[in-house]
């Protein structure tokens, strides 16, 4: 909030919260679809939806989780209509390879980015929310509408699949049918 | 030669509830996350998690495209500037 000014009304407050969250929305959307332009479209569309539904947001509750739910719902709605959304941009990994000095990690970020793009969306989103984004398991469960155990198991499976892919073993086991996809729609 | 990844216990990561209050989102939000990560990295290092964070943080560090701010201005206009009449 610039200069420590307090928002004068709920609309201003809502707007300021949304502005502050834009980088995280972009990062989460990028993690979901792996393509900069599509991710930014996704984040903007979610912002429009959130703005239209702002009266349904309860002040004092978790605004970030509410916004991430809208981004996520928008993502799954879009990929149902357009499978191209889940095709990670191959240039992403190349840009990361050039941009990031990663020797000290003992792992190439470009390899991880490529592998991430091959994961099922439900595993990728969990990895982007908790290990990458630093959210809690509880917050990830709220956003995805999953039980805590499901959050943890998807993270564990996602990590295992990433390791296999990075090691050159492209043999991931698909999740059972009823453990896939969005379990809950954001209340907007 | 096949690379070997070494993993460590993730400790209490993800168990401490939401990282920030709503009133301190954005930069403060990122700062809190970074502080927490720094605390964690002092005890364990997980290369896969570090790589995922870098992928995520790289987007956070990008300049926000002007389209986002233009969009907010348009939304604000539609709402009558957000000011009480």
């Amino acid at each position: 909030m610039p200069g420590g000014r307090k928002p004068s009304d709920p609309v201003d407050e809502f707007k300021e919260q949304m502005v502050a969250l834009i980088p995280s929305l972009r990062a989460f959307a990028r993690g979901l679809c792996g393509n900069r332009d599509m991710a930014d479209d996704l984040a903007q569309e979610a912002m429009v939806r959130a703005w239209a539904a702002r009266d349904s947001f309860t002040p004092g509750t978790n605004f970030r989780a509410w916004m991430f739910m809208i981004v996520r719902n928008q993502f799954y709605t879009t990929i149902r209509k357009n499978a191209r959304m889940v095709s990670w941009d191959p240039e992403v990994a190349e840009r990361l390879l050039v941009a990031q000095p990663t020797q000290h990690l003992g792992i190439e970020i470009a390899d991880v980015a490529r592998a991430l793009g091959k994961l099922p969306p439900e595993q990728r989103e969990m990895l982007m929310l908790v290990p990458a984004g630093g959210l809690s398991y509880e917050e990830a469960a709220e956003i995805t509408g999953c039980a805590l155990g499901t959050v943890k198991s998807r993270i564990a499976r996602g990590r295992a699949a990433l390791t296999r892919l990075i090691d050159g073993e492209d043999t991931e086991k698909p999740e059972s049918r009823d453990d896939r996809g969005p379990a809950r729609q954001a209340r907007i | 030669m096949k690379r070997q990844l070494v993993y460590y216990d993730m400790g209490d990561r993800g168990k401490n509830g939401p990282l920030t209050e709503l009133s301190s989102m954005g930069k403060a939000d990122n700062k809190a996350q970074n502080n927490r990560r720094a605390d964690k990295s002092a005890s364990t290092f997980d290369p896969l998690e570090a790589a995922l964070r870098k992928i995520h943080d790289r987007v956070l560090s990008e300049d926000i495209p002007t389209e986002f701010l233009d969009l907010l201005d348009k939304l604000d206009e539609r709402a009558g500037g957000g000011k009480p009449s």
Side-chain angles (χ1 to χ4, degrees), chain B residues 35-67:
Chain B
N35 287 342
R36 194 170 164 209
R37 288 168 178 172
D39 291 343
K40 176 180 158 34
S41 66
S43 56
T44 59
F45 177 73
D46 177 345
L48 189 58
E49 188 175 327
L52 288 169
R53 281 203 306 269
K54 275 191 175 286
I55 290 169
H56 179 269
D57 291 352
R58 184 173 178 270
V59 184
L60 287 186
S61 66
E62 291 177 358
D63 290 336
I64 296 173
T66 54
E67 298 85 55

Side-chain angles (χ1 to χ4, degrees), chain A residues 96-113:
Chain A
L96 285 165
L97 185 61
V98 170
Q100 302 285 342
T102 58
Q103 289 295 323
H104 66 285
L105 296 182
I107 185 173
E108 289 293 348
I109 293 193
D111 290 345
V112 179

Side-chain angles (χ1 to χ4, degrees), chain A residues 93-94 96-97 102 106-118 162-163 165-167, chain B residues 3 5 48 51 55:
Chain A
E94 300 309 320
L96 285 165
L97 185 61
T102 58
I107 185 173
E108 289 293 348
I109 293 193
D111 290 345
V112 179
R114 282 193 205 94
L116 200 55
K118 294 179 182 175
L162 274 185
T163 305
L165 287 162
I166 292 167
D167 286 346
Chain B
R3 277 170 296 182
L5 295 181
L48 189 58
I55 290 169

Side-chain angles (χ1 to χ4, degrees), chain A residues 30-181:
Chain A
R30 189 88 61 91
L32 288 175
C33 68
N35 177 293
R36 180 187 175 125
D37 292 338
M38 288 180 186
D40 281 353
D41 287 349
L42 188 64
Q44 289 180 57
E45 182 62 30
M47 287 168 63
V48 170
R49 284 174 171 266
W51 186 266
R54 64 187 181 279
D55 289 341
S56 69
F57 174 71
T58 306
T61 59
N62 193 333
F63 184 75
R64 177 169 60 177
W66 188 73
M67 286 295 304
F68 276 33
M69 283 168 71
I70 296 172
V71 170
R72 179 177 182 272
N73 289 343
Q74 187 65 28
F75 170 70
Y76 282 108
T77 299
T78 305
I79 63 171
R80 274 196 291 270
K81 296 175 183 171
N82 183 1
R84 167 173 85 96
M85 282 290 287
V86 293
S87 301
W88 268 48
D89 182 352
E91 290 182 14
V92 170
E94 300 309 320
R95 282 198 298 269
L96 285 165
L97 185 61
V98 170
Q100 302 285 342
T102 58
Q103 289 295 323
H104 66 285
L105 296 182
I107 185 173
E108 289 293 348
I109 293 193
D111 290 345
V112 179
R114 282 193 205 94
L116 200 55
K118 294 179 182 175
L119 291 186
E122 62 273 10
Q123 290 176 5
R124 193 165 61 233
E125 68 179 358
M126 292 301 185
L127 291 174
M128 293 310 296
L129 287 170
V130 181
L135 274 65
S136 65
Y137 290 133
E138 289 81 3
E139 209 171 0
E142 183 182 355
I143 291 165
T144 58
C146 295
L148 268 182
T150 305
V151 172
K152 292 175 183 177
S153 68
R154 286 184 182 176
I155 290 171
R157 284 192 203 131
R159 289 176 59 94
L162 274 185
T163 305
R164 284 195 303 271
L165 287 162
I166 292 167
D167 286 346
E169 302 168 26
D170 199 353
T171 55
E172 60 188 284
K173 293 177 184 173
E175 293 189 51
S176 63
R177 189 66 207 163
D178 46 349
D179 192 28
R180 297 173 65 97

